Amino acid sequence: MSGNAASSPRPESANDAPRLLEVHDLAVRFDVGPEVVRAVDGVSFTLAAGEALAIVGESGSGKSATVLGLLGLLPTPPARVVGGTALFGGRDLLSLSPSELRRVRGRRIAMVFQDPATSLNPVLTIGTQLTEGMRTHLGASAADARARAAALLATVGLAGEHRLRAYPHELSGGQRQRVMIAMALACEPSLLIADEPTTALDVTVQAQIVDLLTRLQRTLGMGLVWITHDLALAAACADTMAVMYAGRFVEVAPVAELLRRPRHPYTLGLLQAAPRWDAPRGERLRAVPGAPPDLRCRPRGCAFAPRCGYAVDRCRAEDPPLQDVGPGHRSACWRWDEL
């Protein structure tokens, strides 16, 4: 797994499995009147079959825009993909026609969205929504699709024929999210993308959903991309973590290595801002000072320099590349070895 920058060869994936997805220099822009927002600015990574990648960062860093751009789900206008390639199964997702991309989405790549209440159709039963993908992509008969839908609901902890007859408003938030997971798994995709799937849920249900997705991913051997701002969630479910800031990856490493030895000040700031169960009583969290930059006019040099306590003149003048700082570990910081 690797991040943006072409200054050095990307390392091999964290395991020896074949590469499932290879993204190179993805760029997404949002047209806001006469101005252009560089929401995703040259992001690159690879994902192996069976590997789990977590993309973390503050709201507005470009996490969701990255995966929505890959799947052709950006709101157009104002958003548009302006560069890059995304090889999946030997085909570039970014060059596919809308009809070709629809055949890939749902069948080989599936997505679990943040809010199931707005992702499910309120006027259709759960059974109708679950069977639609199987009938469209797999050519399943109505009876076969319904039988598989019931089995999928049982797999995600919602056993019972009556669930197929229910409407979304009759289910709790956690149950609706389980339905979304069942829909994502209906056509046995090789890649699953989960975009903040636990944000609207209480802590207990969050843990259940994370455990369910992680268990299913490992059982089915899918590639999994988590989009989250929750470092604890990323630590629990991912093999590799990519920290995103101002539209770019600023640090990429195996999860244990990144948590133990962060090599970018922004990563360090996120870790210091996260609550710890073993912290001394009364210790205050250390917020990352300042605010993310306006991506309509990216600052010269390192985008994090105005908020960084390690910044020197070089940081404000030269934009650091994402460079190797250890085995499988990359950082976009001029002073990474001083952290």
Side-chain angles (χ1 to χ4, degrees):
M1 221 301 303
S2 67
N4 53 285
S7 58
S8 61
R10 284 179 298 277
E12 294 299 317
S13 297
N15 53 54
D16 295 328
R19 290 184 175 184
L20 180 65
L21 177 66
E22 298 182 62
V23 178
H24 301 287
D25 296 324
L26 177 68
V28 174
R29 303 289 184 263
F30 284 77
D31 297 318
V32 183
E35 299 176 307
V36 176
V37 176
R38 298 165 66 179
V40 181
D41 196 17
V43 163
S44 302
F45 64 91
T46 62
L47 183 73
E51 183 182 5
L53 163 70
I55 302 177
V56 303
E58 294 169 285
S59 296
S61 61
K63 306 184 302 296
S64 294
T66 297
V67 294
L68 293 177
L70 296 177
L71 298 182
L73 295 176
L74 288 168
T76 53
R80 54 197 170 95
V81 175
V82 297
T85 59
L87 296 179
F88 178 77
R91 305 176 71 192
D92 183 7
L93 296 175
L94 304 183
S95 66
L96 297 182
S97 68
S99 61
E100 290 174 322
L101 199 52
R102 280 194 296 271
R103 287 194 289 271
V104 174
R105 290 195 307 256
R107 176 62 185 95
R108 300 192 61 201
I109 303 177
M111 189 162 180
V112 179
F113 294 93
Q114 180 173 340
D115 185 3
T118 57
S119 300
L120 293 170
N121 191 321
V123 301
L124 297 178
T125 65
I126 298 303
T128 298
Q129 297 182 66
L130 259 175
T131 57
E132 180 182 16
M134 290 180 273
R135 301 194 68 182
T136 299
H137 294 293
L138 303 181
S141 67
D144 288 345
R146 194 167 182 85
R148 176 161 169 73
L152 283 167
L153 288 180
T155 299
V156 299
L158 292 177
E161 178 71 20
H162 66 286
R163 302 289 191 187
L164 295 173
R165 299 190 296 271
Y167 287 87
H169 72 271
E170 298 178 290
L171 305 179
S172 68
Q175 290 173 331
R176 287 194 292 264
Q177 195 60 286
R178 289 171 185 267
V179 170
M180 287 296 300
I181 294 170
M183 290 175 64
L185 298 177
C187 296
E188 300 181 349
S190 51
L191 173 61
L192 180 65
I193 298 173
D195 187 2
E196 307 234 25
T198 63
T199 298
L201 307 177
D202 63 61
V203 175
T204 302
V205 178
Q206 282 184 25
Q208 293 172 354
I209 295 299
V210 170
D211 178 70
L212 173 63
L213 275 172
T214 302
R215 176 167 47 83
L216 289 172
Q217 182 252 337
R218 291 172 179 167
T219 301
L220 301 174
M222 298 182 296
L224 178 60
V225 177
W226 288 92
I227 304 298
T228 182
H229 60 270
D230 188 335
L231 289 175
L233 185 153
C237 66
D239 304 304
T240 305
M241 191 182 302
V243 180
M244 196 167 192
Y245 184 78
R248 297 181 181 177
F249 286 175
V250 296
E251 186 167 10
V252 182
V255 167
E257 168 68 11
L258 186 141
L259 296 178
R260 183 173 64 249
R261 300 181 65 192
R263 287 292 181 249
H264 194 282
Y266 179 58
T267 307
L268 182 61
L270 292 178
L271 291 172
Q272 292 175 336
R276 295 174 57 98
W277 68 270
D278 57 349
R281 186 185 181 106
E283 181 178 78
R284 298 178 65 85
L285 298 178
R286 297 172 59 182
V288 180
D294 186 342
L295 295 182
R296 293 172 297 181
C297 49
R298 186 181 180 90
R300 182 184 178 192
C302 175
F304 188 64
R307 308 174 68 184
C308 181
Y310 293 85
V312 295
D313 289 345
R314 185 185 187 187
C315 304
R316 288 179 278 271
E318 299 179 45
D319 196 1
L322 194 64
Q323 58 189 317
D324 293 332
V325 299
H329 197 155
R330 311 190 85 194
S331 173
C333 179
W334 293 122
R335 306 188 67 190
W336 62 267
D337 57 342
E338 301 176 46
L339 295 186

